[in-house]
Amino acid sequence: MTTRMEAFRFSEFGAPAVLKRETIELSAPAAGEIQIRHLAIGVNYIDVYHRKGVFAAQLPLPSGLGVEGVGIVTALGDGVGNLNLGDRVAYVGGPPNAYSTHRNLPAVRALPVPDALESETVAALIFKGLTAEYLIHRCVPVAKDDIVLFHAAAGGVGSIATQWLKHLGATVIGTVGSPEKADIARANGCDHTIIYTREDFRARIAEITGGKGVHVVYDSVGADTFARSLDCLRPRGTLVSFGEASGPVAPLNLASLGAKGSLFVTRPSIAHYTADRSEYEAAAKNLFRAIEAGIVKAPNLAKYRLGDAVKVHEDMESRSTRGSIILIPSGPSR
């Protein structure tokens, strides 16, 4: 049995206009899969990278787009025993096909959503929230009184991570690009903000820490900040490089890590921190508890209709968006 659905797909890499809205007959879920009707779809900048073909391992074309969402289970494939029809689930990962009214999904990626949480809130937070969760709880577990530098503190992941870091009792220093973003970062828990377009963040870090440096730097900016971020660390500190918004990082001279204080550097990926089902579930439960407790809130939630997916990408690339973005399919929602 097939389901009639609408989806955005693309057959060539390029500008937002390559995204085309199509009506498709979706087949029944295969063994180990579920079919869901989307209630809300998360949008992440990785969607832009996929559309443009930035990654070395490019998506096979034609392809769907989007790797996160919340939906109602409408069909079960053979062998799926842990979910029921009508369950509300969230997911991160699986084949990119989230920009759609319906989709099939590996059941192993589906996470039951607590009744107390709104679908739109979960869709806005699930990818960025799980990213923040693994960065500050498992990649480098941050403890009370640690001093942390978080680049792009007013961005999607940064806004969530700084809220959580403040709750953990860390001293949070955030770099931002404008006074407006500095206000956002302070509202989300940053003890100190640095407008990196106006100030030398290395000098400010030395001033704030009395020359000792920070315990950990979280850097999604890449080329423009990586080398200077190393200079902000105290001996045996860790640089977590989890993105390259300004371009790829230059090759690293390993000997420099010893010379700068026996430093650590890691380049993590959410895929490796959510590959194990039990770890994936535990991370989601940690995030859901934080949302329910009000520790983590969706920053500046922007809602678009699914049919406006091209405009969403245009707005993201023009930097006219702030905080989290979701797409809402037509039809009933919860």
Side-chain angles (χ1 to χ4, degrees), residues 135-136 142 146-153 158 161-162 165 170-176 190-196 200-206 208-209 213-220 225-226 228-234 238-242:
L135 287 173
I136 68 177
V142 175
D146 281 354
I147 304 175
V148 174
L149 170 59
F150 210 105
H151 287 300
T162 52
L165 286 165
T171 296
V172 188
I173 307 167
T175 67
V176 295
C190 284
D191 298 281
H192 308 273
T193 57
I194 302 170
I195 302 175
Y196 68 87
D200 179 352
F201 68 80
R202 288 176 301 186
R204 280 294 311 281
I205 292 296
I208 292 167
T209 65
V214 302
H215 294 85
V216 57
V217 177
Y218 292 101
D219 189 346
S220 63
T225 53
F226 184 89
R228 289 179 291 163
S229 292
L230 289 173
D231 294 334
C232 294
L233 290 167
R234 62 181 55 198
T238 303
L239 171 55
V240 181
S241 175
F242 68 102

Side-chain angles (χ1 to χ4, degrees), residues 212-287:
K212 293 181 179 179
V214 302
H215 294 85
V216 57
V217 177
Y218 292 101
D219 189 346
S220 63
V221 178
D224 289 351
T225 53
F226 184 89
R228 289 179 291 163
S229 292
L230 289 173
D231 294 334
C232 294
L233 290 167
R234 62 181 55 198
R236 295 165 61 183
T238 303
L239 171 55
V240 181
S241 175
F242 68 102
E244 298 179 342
S246 66
V249 173
L252 175 64
N253 177 3
L254 288 177
S256 69
L257 299 180
K260 292 177 182 292
S262 297
L263 305 181
F264 296 86
V265 174
T266 182
R267 182 62 168 89
S269 166
I270 190 173
H272 300 131
Y273 281 83
T274 61
D276 178 81
R277 173 69 191 186
S278 61
E279 192 174 16
Y280 180 46
E281 286 182 324
K285 288 178 181 177
N286 194 19
L287 173 62

Side-chain angles (χ1 to χ4, degrees), residues 264-334:
F264 296 86
V265 174
T266 182
R267 182 62 168 89
S269 166
I270 190 173
H272 300 131
Y273 281 83
T274 61
D276 178 81
R277 173 69 191 186
S278 61
E279 192 174 16
Y280 180 46
E281 286 182 324
K285 288 178 181 177
N286 194 19
L287 173 62
F288 293 155
R289 283 194 297 267
I291 299 171
E292 288 187 83
I295 296 166
V296 168
K297 299 177 182 178
N300 300 314
L301 178 59
K303 303 177 188 179
Y304 293 74
R305 283 291 173 186
L306 175 60
D308 295 325
V310 173
K311 178 172 172 51
V312 172
H313 278 239
E314 291 171 345
D315 290 350
M316 283 197 293
E317 292 195 84
S318 69
R319 298 182 180 273
S320 62
T321 60
R322 296 285 185 274
S324 295
I325 304 169
I326 60 173
L327 297 172
I328 306 297
S330 58
S333 63
R334 177 178 175 180

Side-chain angles (χ1 to χ4, degrees), residues 57-185:
Q58 295 178 339
L59 296 177
L61 299 180
S63 175
L65 197 64
V67 293
E68 54 182 317
V70 177
I72 296 292
V73 178
T74 57
L76 302 171
D78 290 342
V80 177
N82 60 330
L83 293 168
N84 298 299
L85 296 179
D87 284 352
R88 188 169 56 130
V89 297
Y91 67 91
V92 170
N97 273 314
Y99 288 23
S100 60
T101 56
H102 301 73
R103 71 161 299 173
N104 292 337
L105 178 76
V108 72
R109 302 310 300 173
L111 299 161
V113 176
D115 290 340
L117 299 183
E118 294 290 333
S119 298
E120 293 181 0
T121 300
V122 175
L125 289 171
I126 188 67
F127 192 116
K128 299 176 186 70
L130 285 179
T131 300
E133 194 281 337
Y134 91 77
L135 287 173
I136 68 177
H137 289 279
R138 292 181 286 142
C139 183
V140 180
V142 175
K144 187 177 185 295
D145 298 326
D146 281 354
I147 304 175
V148 174
L149 170 59
F150 210 105
H151 287 300
V157 174
S159 292
I160 297 166
T162 52
Q163 293 177 59
W164 218 335
L165 286 165
K166 189 60 181 175
H167 175 76
L168 292 173
T171 296
V172 188
I173 307 167
T175 67
V176 295
S178 68
E180 177 192 11
K181 290 185 176 181
D183 291 340
I184 294 171

Side-chain angles (χ1 to χ4, degrees), residues 24-61:
I24 300 169
E25 293 294 332
L26 179 65
S27 62
E33 290 185 338
I34 61 172
Q35 188 171 109
I36 65 172
R37 172 177 58 83
H38 275 127
L39 301 174
I41 299 153
V43 176
N44 195 286
Y45 209 83
I46 195 173
D47 302 343
V48 173
Y49 294 150
H50 282 156
R51 189 202 77 226
K52 295 171 72 173
V54 169
F55 299 123
Q58 295 178 339
L59 296 177
L61 299 180

